[in-house]
Amino acid sequence: MPRDHVRPPGSPPVNGYSHAVAVPGPLVVVSGQVPLDAEGRLVGEDDTEAQVRQVHANLATAREAAGSDLAHVVKYTFLLTDLARDDLARDLPAPRAVRDGHQDPARPPASSLVQVAALVRPAFRGEIEALAVPAV
């Protein structure tokens, strides 16, 4: 399905995302995924990278069940609980590293990053939701 990855003239520089992605037709909306395995067990209690890898695995499972795949993601929303205000170093590097391994760097999806006070369980360090187009 054709997509138009937009970086308008005069817009600020980006780090691994597009300012906008125009898509025709239907969307696959994937709810925020958390770091639980198929049995509902927490993955990576104090390990942000392990949690984010599990979240991406859960995103893949949900996308595929809805008829989409990694190549068809048009937007991510990252919710993280710990972004150190001084240097953004606490939890930000892990989601970026995992994200970058799951997307085409020449055509990255749109993306938002939000720091939240907490997620549904205190041990969750992050949650990610996605918008995708069906894989046709």
Side-chain angles (χ1 to χ4, degrees):
M1 184 168 286
R3 296 179 306 242
D4 186 15
H5 290 70
V6 179
R7 178 152 185 229
S11 61
V14 297
N15 183 357
Y17 67 93
S18 292
H19 282 283
V21 180
V23 297
L27 280 177
V28 173
V29 179
V30 182
S31 291
Q33 299 296 304
V34 295
L36 297 177
D37 66 14
E39 287 76 41
R41 294 180 301 237
L42 175 64
V43 173
E45 173 114 18
D46 293 315
D47 183 342
T48 303
E49 186 170 338
Q51 287 196 17
V52 173
R53 288 190 189 290
Q54 182 62 47
V55 168
H56 273 280
N58 294 346
L59 284 166
T61 299
R63 276 192 320 264
E64 290 165 10
S68 189
D69 59 24
L70 183 62
H72 291 85
V73 171
V74 296
K75 182 176 190 302
Y76 284 117
T77 302
F78 293 83
L79 307 169
L80 298 177
T81 59
D82 193 350
L83 297 176
R85 295 221 184 259
D86 296 344
D87 60 7
L88 296 178
R90 175 78 167 128
D91 281 347
L92 188 56
R96 281 186 173 166
V98 174
R99 173 203 67 193
D100 291 349
H102 285 89
Q103 67 188 25
D104 177 355
R107 295 173 51 86
S111 183
S112 295
L113 172 66
V114 179
Q115 180 173 346
V116 295
L119 293 165
V120 69
R121 283 193 183 169
F124 293 172
R125 301 190 69 84
E127 180 174 327
I128 304 170
E129 62 185 31
L131 297 175
V133 295
V136 178

